[in-house]
Amino acid sequence: MQLIKSLFCFRGCDNGERFLIISLFSMALFFLFNGVILTSLTSKLVLALILVVMFFASSIRRCRDAAKPSKFAWLAGAMFSLALAIILMLPYATSYAVIVLPLVAIFLLFSLPSYKALNYILGYLGPVDLSELAQPTHLTKQPIANRIEPSLYGTPTEYTTEDATANNSANSQTSAATAFTDISQSAEQHQQAPQPTARKAARSNDLAELIFNWLATNKNLAIIAATVVLVFSLTVIALPFIGNDNQAGVSAGVAQTPVTLEPVTARSELLAMPDNFFLLLDANDGLIIHWQADRLSDGEVWSQAKAQGDLSCADIEFNNGDKIRTINVVVENSGDYYANFSPLDTEKVIQSL
């Protein structure tokens, strides 16, 4: 539970490795649930909101650890939110190319060196107590011959390894709280009155140092590369829309011959039923139910092929609970209704009747 609290903490500090792991884990979790597990848009939006908050909190802690303004965290959070929104709103595989934008911001924040060298617990230092997750320091037990036990003025007192572990845990918790207070105060002072000569950076690892040094010495090249990546990502995202427009233009330029289905007009003799309706068969032995009602205009009332019309005519429901779909319902002679059924359902309709 404490570890989960630290993920959504806005007051602590994160080193580069922890920030990178949280960021990539958020993306992987979103891809997994969005593409495989979740189906409704509401659940996907809730997941995206949780991941955005977790990512933004880690970005704030990373900026504080590197003594950088929080505007970098806001920019990274905005790019991450925009990427998730585009993926959710555009149902195309090419929309995933927009994830390149937050990836650039992630690696930039990852490359920032820490303001001070601190004793992190799982890469975190802040008000949330993670001392239980820290590995205890095991003391080597001295041989009895080399151990000096005081015996003058009192009984000997044994100092066990359990006492040493408890003291180390308490000392680490106290030192972590003190270090967090110190780094927060010095980071704020550094942002208000920066003194480059008085600052000695403590880089987290060789990879972060390599990225930071390359960006510092090749700023123009980094800007050009970022621009190329941005243009490429936007082009890939726009490909489905360009393809749809071209396809629509080709379809509009080619003369289309409308295809119409001739209705089956041949009907058998009427078979009267007790409730003022009649049964007929068409030329393909498809059942037709006929009844009369007031209607001024003739035409098709419902069509299963188009899924348009009066939904109350979409199926017929019997007292035993069976529902059978109609192919279509048409009106003739300003009041003669004909509900046409598939030949496959003829036997079932007759049994239900």
Side-chain angles (χ1 to χ4, degrees):
M1 183 60 68
Q2 291 295 97
L3 181 60
I4 297 177
K5 288 182 180 180
S6 68
L7 295 177
F8 296 92
C9 175
F10 287 88
R11 296 180 54 203
C13 299
D14 277 0
N15 61 7
E17 291 88 344
R18 176 183 168 93
F19 169 74
L20 183 64
I21 292 174
I22 292 176
S23 303
L24 298 182
F25 173 76
S26 301
M27 290 186 178
L29 197 65
F30 175 77
F31 294 154
L32 174 63
F33 279 82
N34 180 61
V36 179
I37 299 177
L38 299 180
T39 56
S40 66
L41 180 60
T42 303
S43 58
K44 292 180 180 181
L45 289 175
V46 172
L47 174 65
L49 179 61
I50 295 174
L51 296 179
V52 166
V53 173
M54 184 171 66
F55 173 80
F56 177 68
S58 183
S59 301
I60 287 288
R61 297 193 300 267
R62 180 80 267 269
C63 289
R64 185 178 294 110
D65 179 69
K68 295 296 182 181
S70 59
K71 62 182 180 181
F72 294 103
W74 283 99
L75 179 60
M79 296 175 69
F80 187 76
S81 304
L82 179 62
L84 299 191
I86 291 177
I87 293 174
L88 288 177
M89 299 305 173
L90 301 181
Y92 303 105
T94 55
S95 63
Y96 282 84
V98 76
I99 208 65
V100 175
L101 302 179
L103 279 176
V104 173
I106 288 171
F107 282 101
L108 286 177
L109 288 180
F110 165 72
S111 66
L112 295 176
S114 299
Y115 180 66
K116 284 186 178 181
L118 302 172
N119 293 324
Y120 300 94
I121 300 178
L122 299 180
Y124 169 81
L125 179 65
V128 180
D129 183 16
L130 298 181
S131 57
E132 295 181 357
L133 302 177
Q135 295 182 354
T137 304
H138 298 281
L139 299 180
T140 304
K141 188 175 181 180
Q142 296 181 354
I144 298 178
N146 297 335
R147 186 174 60 190
I148 300 176
E149 298 180 356
S151 57
L152 187 67
Y153 308 116
T155 59
T157 302
E158 294 185 359
Y159 186 74
T160 62
T161 57
E162 289 78 5
D163 298 332
T165 303
N167 290 337
N168 287 335
S169 177
N171 292 336
S172 62
Q173 182 176 352
T174 304
S175 60
T178 305
F180 167 66
T181 304
D182 294 342
I183 187 63
S184 301
Q185 294 176 354
S186 23
E188 293 176 357
Q189 294 175 0
H190 176 76
Q191 294 179 15
Q192 295 174 359
Q195 297 176 359
T197 57
R199 177 176 178 268
K200 183 179 180 181
R203 290 177 174 83
S204 56
N205 55 33
D206 295 336
L207 178 60
E209 182 178 359
L210 180 63
I211 297 175
F212 180 80
N213 290 336
W214 187 88
L215 292 175
T217 55
N218 301 275
K219 293 182 179 180
N220 294 332
L221 184 59
I223 295 175
I224 295 175
T227 305
V228 171
V229 170
L230 176 61
V231 173
F232 174 77
S233 302
L234 296 178
T235 303
V236 172
I237 296 172
L239 283 178
F241 301 98
I242 299 176
N244 291 340
D245 293 341
N246 293 337
Q247 186 66 26
V250 172
S251 301
V254 177
Q256 298 289 337
T257 302
V259 178
T260 58
L261 298 177
E262 292 293 334
V264 178
T265 57
R267 303 186 181 106
S268 64
E269 296 294 331
L270 293 175
L271 176 61
M273 300 298 290
D275 295 332
N276 296 324
F277 67 93
F278 305 89
L279 298 182
L280 304 92
L281 289 177
D282 61 21
N284 299 320
D285 292 333
L287 186 66
I288 302 172
I289 297 180
H290 165 55
W291 72 96
Q292 291 183 335
D294 295 333
R295 184 179 176 90
L296 298 179
S297 59
D298 296 344
E300 192 173 55
V301 179
W302 164 257
S303 172
Q304 184 185 122
K306 302 176 184 177
Q308 294 178 354
D310 188 354
L311 290 176
S312 63
C313 298
D315 52 46
I316 182 173
E317 183 175 1
F318 299 94
N319 294 333
N320 60 2
D322 292 342
K323 283 187 177 182
I324 302 176
R325 290 182 179 273
T326 60
I327 295 178
N328 66 345
V329 178
V330 296
V331 177
E332 300 177 3
N333 302 322
S334 300
D336 291 332
Y337 281 75
Y338 295 91
N340 299 281
F341 294 87
S342 169
L344 297 175
D345 297 328
T346 298
E347 183 178 356
K348 186 175 181 180
V349 175
I350 293 177
Q351 290 176 354
S352 298
L353 287 172

